[in-house]
Amino acid sequence: MSVTTPTVALFEDNGTISITSYGSEAELQYIHLADRRSHLLFREFIWHLFCADDTIPENLSDVNGKQMNSVDVLSSVIEYMVSHVKSKTGEDISGIPITFKYVFTIPTCSCDDAKRFMSEAAVKAGCSPNDVIVVEEAAAALQFYMNSQYEGELKVLDVSDRCYLVVELEDDNVTISILNHIKDGRIGIVYRNTAEVWGSCQVQKDFVEMLNCETSKTLLDGFFEQYPLEHFELIQEIKKKIKYTLPETSRVAIKMSALMLEKNGSLEDMQKSVAKSGLNDKINFRLDKCIISPEAFKSLFIDAGKQIVQYLKKELPTDLSDIHCIILIGEFAQSPILQDIMKSSFSTVNIHVPGEANMAAIKGSVLVGENNVDVDTSGCICGSKESATENVCSSQGNDQRPRKKEPVSTPTKINPSKNRNKSRLCVIQ
């Protein structure tokens, strides 16, 4: 089974620190705590462990600055998740014990010691070292692509000795990776780079700011703290529209929370504010929905799409002709509007978006575990480090002759969001 959830963990400190909840449940429990002094809440800790620096920190700080040993945080989370999985699956079938294999994904932009550290934490959590596999998300996604569904049957594509560009489009960061699939089934990651750009999280923020401006209200001021479930439902509604709204859509209807509408006055008052701004033809409030014209909704994606395309063209250290296929994965990759922007900007390259692009890395990790796929990062170049020249391996299988490229600049952080969910930590049976 596969589950995605926010990378958030809540611990209780009553002399002995122990994990009490994980994911959305951890956020909800923390909000309703009468006394938070005896608790520690860690958000996006995978990013802080593996991506924030070149080395893994000895300790992690929670939202209030309290510290806890890094390996203890991660091992506790793994133990909690494994226990949850086994409670759902059971540990035997008709009296025959189940042998579990654990596959953990890490961000492709992780520091060099991330795999070792993740394995160490898994073993400390009680996993057998022989049953632990750690894989980069880009490699897992490529494995998923190579085992794509075709007319209802599993079709293993003939993709040996080819070069692929995997673009991970998450909430507000983009990671690009160049991978080789070697004839013997191995995957080699030869280049990786990451930067914060406008993504789906920024689209959500812009949507809220657009309503704030046009209704003269602060729609989400304190809304998350007061009504976390309603806030979560609103964000999921916006994400659904991002995922399913086509470029030719005639209108977009966002369902608004009744509590939010009550908090911000009557629909008539909100519509009058819109009328004063001269945007009656672009935004209307009807019953419990905010109706947005397609032009207004698409405008939220234009800057995001431009920034992503600009980043790819600037940072890609090889010719597009060397790339067999661009694979888009992640939350924002599901947007048909963004897909349209990408396809028009890279018209000479085949672009593939897996079904459920936000789950590609998780589903691919199952295949990595089943097939014991070897992922080689020994020759990987990290684009975030400046150098005079960069060597990118040839895409022709075992031909590792380097090619000289122009300098790759350090990515510019554009509109970074405070509400990042940089990675997924998954335990998969």
Side-chain angles (χ1 to χ4, degrees):
M1 72 181 178
S2 299
V3 177
T4 59
T5 189
T7 313
V8 182
L10 180 64
F11 290 79
E12 185 175 12
D13 185 3
N14 289 325
T16 301
I17 300 178
S18 59
I19 187 170
T20 61
S21 55
Y22 182 80
S24 300
E25 183 183 352
E27 288 280 17
L28 292 174
Q29 285 190 11
Y30 185 75
I31 288 171
H32 293 104
L33 285 174
D35 184 2
R36 298 178 180 177
R37 290 175 296 179
S38 61
H39 288 78
L40 297 89
L41 184 73
F42 295 93
R43 292 192 180 109
E44 58 185 61
F45 54 88
I46 293 296
W47 174 262
H48 292 303
L49 276 173
F50 298 145
C51 304
D53 207 339
D54 291 334
T55 58
I56 295 171
E58 183 178 351
N59 297 301
L60 285 173
S61 297
D62 85 330
V63 295
N64 295 312
K66 297 180 183 178
Q67 290 199 333
M68 183 174 170
N69 183 265
S70 295
V71 72
D72 289 341
V73 172
L74 188 54
S75 63
S76 297
V77 169
I78 292 173
E79 185 176 2
Y80 181 87
M81 297 176 74
V82 169
S83 175
H84 174 74
V85 170
K86 291 183 176 180
S87 71
K88 299 297 183 182
T89 63
E91 297 195 39
D92 65 83
I93 300 176
S94 302
I96 302 175
I98 298 174
T99 299
F100 289 87
K101 179 179 286 187
Y102 309 94
V103 183
F104 301 90
T105 65
I106 58 173
T108 310
C109 60
S110 295
C111 60
D112 293 337
D113 210 26
K115 280 190 171 182
R116 179 203 61 78
F117 188 85
M118 179 68 86
S119 298
E120 177 186 326
V123 171
K124 186 172 182 178
C127 302
S128 169
N130 296 327
D131 295 323
V132 172
I133 295 176
V134 183
V135 62
E136 292 82 358
E137 290 183 343
L142 179 58
Q143 188 67 22
F144 179 64
Y145 167 77
M146 291 188 296
N147 292 268
S148 63
Q149 293 287 336
Y150 182 75
E151 294 182 354
E153 296 181 1
L154 189 66
K155 179 184 179 182
V156 180
L157 302 176
D158 180 18
V159 290
S160 297
D161 296 346
R162 287 178 177 170
C163 186
Y164 298 86
L165 173 63
V166 176
V167 183
E168 302 171 58
L169 302 166
E170 294 299 345
D171 279 348
D172 62 353
N173 66 307
V174 174
T175 298
I176 59 174
S177 309
I178 298 177
L179 301 93
N180 289 337
H181 181 250
I182 314 303
K183 188 177 296 184
D184 59 8
R186 290 181 294 119
I187 293 175
I189 302 178
V190 297
Y191 177 83
R192 63 186 183 185
N193 200 349
T194 189
E196 292 179 347
V197 301
W198 269 2
S200 63
C201 186
Q202 187 66 39
V203 171
Q204 296 164 30
K205 179 182 176 183
D206 287 348
F207 167 76
V208 173
E209 288 183 350
M210 178 176 65
L211 294 184
N212 287 345
C213 177
E214 289 152 10
T215 61
S216 301
K217 299 286 184 179
T218 307
L219 288 177
L220 292 187
D221 183 21
F223 193 73
F224 173 71
E225 288 76 11
Q226 296 180 52
Y227 310 109
L229 291 179
E230 288 76 10
H231 179 274
F232 176 77
E233 289 174 357
L234 173 64
I235 297 302
Q236 292 304 111
E237 174 74 4
I238 298 172
K239 284 188 174 184
K240 185 169 68 174
K241 298 304 177 182
I242 289 173
K243 180 177 178 180
Y244 292 114
T245 300
L246 300 173
E248 63 273 15
T249 298
S250 59
R251 68 172 192 170
V252 180
I254 305 289
K255 185 176 180 180
M256 308 292 286
S257 163
L259 285 170
M260 178 180 292
L261 295 174
E262 180 183 347
K263 181 180 187 299
N264 288 277
S266 68
L267 289 177
E268 291 78 9
D269 291 340
M270 296 174 74
Q271 193 61 52
K272 286 179 182 178
S273 297
V274 172
K276 289 178 181 178
S277 67
L279 294 174
N280 255 346
D281 59 332
K282 298 186 181 299
I283 294 181
N284 286 281
F285 291 93
R286 299 176 187 170
L287 299 178
D288 62 343
K289 291 183 174 61
C290 174
I291 311 298
I292 308 174
S293 71
E295 294 78 14
F297 191 75
K298 289 176 191 176
S299 69
L300 301 175
F301 292 82
I302 292 175
D303 283 328
K306 285 182 178 178
Q307 294 286 8
I308 290 169
V309 169
Q310 179 185 359
Y311 171 65
L312 288 175
K313 289 183 175 180
K314 178 183 177 183
E315 302 298 340
L316 193 62
T318 188
D319 297 327
L320 282 175
S321 59
D322 295 332
I323 302 295
H324 174 69
C325 180
I326 297 176
I327 304 171
L328 305 181
I329 65 170
E331 190 77 46
F332 199 28
Q334 299 175 106
S335 165
I337 298 176
L338 178 69
Q339 293 171 19
D340 191 59
I341 293 172
M342 293 289 291
K343 288 176 181 178
S344 62
S345 300
F346 301 98
S347 57
T348 60
V349 185
N350 178 34
I351 294 181
H352 177 76
V353 184
E356 293 186 282
N358 62 325
M359 298 289 287
I362 292 181
K363 291 184 176 181
S365 10
V366 176
L367 299 168
V368 169
E370 287 179 346
N371 300 298
N372 293 312
V373 176
D374 180 29
V375 179
D376 181 18
T377 60
S378 59
C380 182
I381 296 169
C382 183
S384 61
K385 296 179 180 179
E386 292 182 318
S387 59
T389 59
E390 298 290 356
N391 294 325
V392 179
C393 295
S394 166
S395 62
Q396 300 302 313
N398 294 318
D399 181 3
Q400 298 295 314
R401 291 173 295 177
R403 292 179 293 164
K404 202 170 185 180
K405 292 293 170 187
E406 294 300 316
V408 179
S409 61
T410 302
T412 301
K413 293 189 175 182
I414 306 170
N415 295 322
S417 168
K418 295 181 180 179
N419 299 315
R420 296 178 298 183
N421 181 16
K422 294 290 185 182
S423 62
R424 294 177 299 273
L425 170 65
C426 57
V427 179
I428 304 174
Q429 178 197 355

